[in-house]
Amino acid sequence: MDYSSKLLSDEKLDALVVFVSEDSDLRRNGLSNLPRALKKPLSSLMELGVFSGKKGTKHHLVTGDATWKQALLVGLGPVDKLDGEGLRRAAGKVGQNLSGLKADTVGVLVTPLLKKSGKLSLGTVLAEGIQLGAYEFKQYKSPDDDSPKKLAKLRVCDPRKLTDSKSVKVGTVLAEATNSARTLGNTPPNDLRPQQVAEHAQALAKRHKLKCKVLEEQDMQKLGMGMLLGVSQGSEEPAKLIILEYRPAGAKQTVALVGKGITFDSGGLSLKPGKGMEEMKYDMCGSAAVLGAMSAVAQLKPKVNVIGVVAASENMPSGTAQRPGDIVTAYNGKRVEVLNTDAEGRLVLGDALAYTVDKLKPDAIIDLATLTGACIVALGHYIAGAVTNNDELMGQVQGTAQRTGERVWQLPSDPEYGEAIKSNHGDLKNIADGGAGTIIGGVFLEHFVGDTPWVHLDIAGVAWGVKSIDYHPSNSATGFGVRLLLDLLQQWRPLKK
Ligand code: BES
Ligand code: MN
Ligand code: ZN
């Protein structure tokens, strides 16, 4: 996506995107700079009420003018209610509708009206929203001969210099990294196994000059990662523990991002029902967010060390699979009774977290995991669940969520919840009676982070299945977490002890 601050009359464009607010007075709200050829039909459209700028609406205008042949009008709703997320969603609508324009080069007009969306950088929000909205996962579709598709070139047209090319670039990096996380999520589980996750990480490291280490099962054996190995032992495919490192000169603090990477979760011997089991290809969306974030980190270069850790495994039933009742020894020495092999995420993550704390000694950890179906029951598909041992870190994450629109809701984790996972014959058990499934998952993980400030994000609901947000595709992965993590890292403030 390019950026240009030339006068509109000096641009050569096949189509122009114009955001219109519901109460748009064409004179006052900055649309006065529209080319004449567009202003007239736009005012008639609004007078007739054909297009009124309502939130979530759009209109493809074909003018008959020789220079300004078409415009895509996108509604913002009432201007005093416009915020950054509203603009991002309107931009998402643009992305979704680009292929409907008959255009090679599309200009997106930045008008003073858009400044009303608040403090967020306009160029970033626009670039993000449009490129997220334009995402499609078509790798597994036969090419459609009727309409050989060519993606239109996009240009942010900013004659009044209300934003800048750097902001547009940032939004582009964030959207591309999010889209790559989506693609990892959407890739079918026969083509994305732990080996391919590791290859993806290695390619990413090579491209962006990050350090990458992949621990094999023999290494994990030596390290004593009994929980992770217990989960993977039912699968023909060996597990991988992937560690990516970004260390800019002068950085003093280190933040670790840890992702659940179950490339397929059948439940293991505690087998899931058949209906909907295919969705468990998305059970690696936490690790996809970590990998997407690492690629954006390498490009946007926050001033903090960032370590990405991905625990990749399948969870399969077989003659070698872990049994309900098995007791395994975690990396940190805790003995864990596996009462349900379908509560596997906390097992792989627990070892990954304990290893991260012990070997990499971060100042803070964020983990992301599609950990519990209970999180969907509690919060649905719009807000992630959070469990933490540090309110200050949680506060930073909340601030970030406000800016990126990737919302999180903290759940309580009072000590009583911890009682429920005390095991009869071991130290801990991996499931509990008494409800609060998402909290239980969180308090289980807390046993593996020691004193390190930590926030666990349960992204089971938000990682896919989101509807009616125009920059998210429906029935497909959202890439949740990439933008959140980047904002957190870019705004990073050391925690008070
Ligand atoms: N990956 C699932 C959680 C999940 C389920 C995410 C459905 C999204 C949609 C996780 O491994 C799991 O199976 N959790 C169990 C935990 C239970 C056995 C305590 C669950 O949520 O049912
Ligand atoms: Mn499971
Ligand atoms: Zn799972």
Side-chain angles (χ1 to χ4, degrees):
M1 178 174 263
D2 324 327
Y3 170 85
S4 159
S5 57
K6 280 200 280 194
L7 288 177
L8 263 194
S9 48
D10 296 334
E11 296 280 4
K12 231 195 101 22
L13 302 166
D14 303 305
L16 189 68
V17 172
V18 182
F19 293 98
V20 182
S21 73
E22 203 171 338
D23 33 17
S24 228
D25 167 335
L26 287 185
R27 278 175 306 279
R28 256 188 289 142
N29 275 328
L31 296 182
S32 53
N33 322 46
L34 277 186
R36 274 185 83 84
L38 294 178
K39 225 186 316 185
K40 273 203 168 166
L42 179 53
S43 14
S44 340
L45 276 173
M46 295 189 86
E47 259 162 42
L48 286 168
V50 175
F51 177 76
S52 57
K54 273 209 174 62
K55 204 172 182 156
T57 61
K58 48 115 187 159
H59 186 90
H60 184 185
L61 175 69
V62 179
T63 62
D65 181 78
T67 317
W68 298 100
K69 293 195 184 77
Q70 13 165 25
L72 178 65
L73 311 172
V74 176
L76 295 171
V79 70
D80 54 332
K81 293 228 178 78
L82 183 64
D83 59 8
E85 175 65 7
L87 182 58
R88 191 180 285 115
R89 292 183 190 192
K93 193 103 197 157
V94 175
Q96 284 179 341
N97 288 286
L98 280 178
S99 55
L101 301 173
K102 297 285 161 273
D104 292 330
T105 307
V106 177
V108 180
L109 183 62
V110 184
T111 59
L113 166 68
L114 304 184
K115 276 279 178 199
K116 307 262 191 223
S117 65
K119 287 197 297 278
L120 298 182
S121 165
L122 262 184
T124 303
V125 173
L126 287 175
E128 243 174 51
I130 295 175
Q131 290 167 103
L132 291 174
Y135 175 83
E136 288 180 309
F137 183 67
K138 283 196 164 170
Q139 266 153 259
Y140 290 82
K141 298 240 185 235
S142 304
D144 172 355
D145 291 334
D146 297 341
S147 56
K149 69 164 211 175
K150 201 166 95 200
L151 266 186
K153 275 190 71 181
L154 286 161
R155 180 172 311 149
V156 172
C157 295
D158 183 19
R160 294 190 165 201
K161 299 202 172 63
L162 300 167
T163 180
D164 51 55
S165 68
K166 173 138 187 275
S167 312
V168 172
K169 180 88 208 357
V170 169
T172 300
V173 168
L174 291 171
E176 283 173 0
T178 304
N179 287 339
S180 79
R182 289 169 166 181
T183 293
L184 280 173
N186 294 332
T187 301
N190 54 334
D191 282 349
L192 189 85
R193 304 179 96 181
Q195 172 67 34
Q196 284 76 41
V197 178
E199 285 165 8
H200 179 96
Q202 280 158 334
L204 183 163
K206 194 159 174 220
R207 187 162 1 108
H208 297 300
K209 303 198 171 51
L210 299 177
K211 196 171 142 197
C212 180
K213 184 158 87 179
V214 177
L215 298 186
E216 305 294 335
E217 289 195 343
Q218 307 89 277
D219 307 312
M220 299 184 220
Q221 210 94 47
K222 284 193 204 117
L223 289 162
M225 297 184 169
M227 291 197 297
L228 208 171
L229 289 167
V231 171
S232 79
Q233 77 186 35
S235 167
E236 299 264 341
E237 293 290 310
K240 310 276 173 183
L241 187 73
I242 304 155
I243 301 124
L244 286 164
E245 294 184 45
Y246 161 81
R247 294 186 185 276
K252 292 199 178 63
Q253 291 256 306
T254 302
V255 179
L257 315 175
V258 182
K260 171 178 173 181
I262 298 295
T263 60
F264 187 71
D265 179 13
S266 69
L269 287 179
S270 312
L271 194 67
K272 286 185 182 293
K275 190 170 181 313
M277 198 198 270
E278 71 284 355
E279 293 194 339
M280 285 299 118
K281 72 170 180 178
Y282 294 119
D283 211 17
M284 34 53 68
C285 283
S287 68
V290 170
L291 292 171
M294 290 310 289
S295 84
V297 159
Q299 297 170 77
L300 301 178
K301 304 191 177 1
K303 294 183 189 72
V304 58
N305 297 315
V306 187
I307 296 168
V309 178
V310 161
S313 173
E314 282 186 331
N315 186 23
M316 300 294 272
S318 74
T320 62
Q322 155 163 274
R323 294 147 289 258
D326 282 3
I327 297 184
V328 295
T329 306
Y331 178 84
N332 68 355
K334 293 203 176 166
R335 312 294 296 269
V336 176
E337 193 174 17
V338 179
L339 292 182
N340 188 320
T341 65
D342 197 10
E344 84 297 338
R346 61 200 74 185
L347 300 173
V348 300
L349 266 183
D351 272 342
L353 288 168
Y355 173 86
T356 302
V357 168
D358 182 45
K359 298 280 195 212
L360 303 160
K361 303 188 169 44
D363 298 290
I365 304 182
I366 310 289
D367 83 65
L368 298 98
T370 47
L371 205 72
T372 63
C375 192
I376 310 178
V377 176
L379 296 169
H381 292 283
Y382 296 114
I383 305 185
V387 174
T388 186
N389 63 359
N390 186 295
D391 290 336
E392 195 191 346
L393 179 60
M394 190 68 230
Q396 283 202 37
V397 172
Q398 286 291 12
T400 282
Q402 291 277 313
R403 290 185 288 270
T404 64
E406 295 186 302
R407 289 161 289 176
V408 301
W409 191 264
Q410 185 188 350
L411 299 169
S413 57
D414 298 49
E416 293 88 333
Y417 291 105
E419 292 298 315
I421 49 170
K422 287 193 175 154
S423 150
N424 186 14
H425 291 127
D427 299 321
L428 293 171
K429 53 185 180 186
N430 76 333
I431 56 165
D433 297 326
T438 304
I439 295 171
I440 293 296
V443 300
F444 182 91
L445 294 177
E446 192 172 352
H447 282 272
F448 301 92
V449 296
D451 296 330
T452 310
W454 153 86
V455 167
H456 156 63
L457 297 177
D458 193 328
I459 61 167
V462 293
W464 79 95
V466 176
K467 291 189 180 62
S468 68
I469 292 183
D470 282 329
Y471 59 79
H472 281 321
S474 38
N475 299 320
S476 144
T478 59
F480 182 101
V482 174
R483 292 181 304 109
L484 183 87
L485 292 172
L486 259 291
D487 183 272
L488 181 74
L489 295 165
Q490 286 178 301
Q491 313 272 337
W492 184 253
R493 281 166 280 129
L495 301 168
K496 297 183 201 84
K497 275 281 150 15

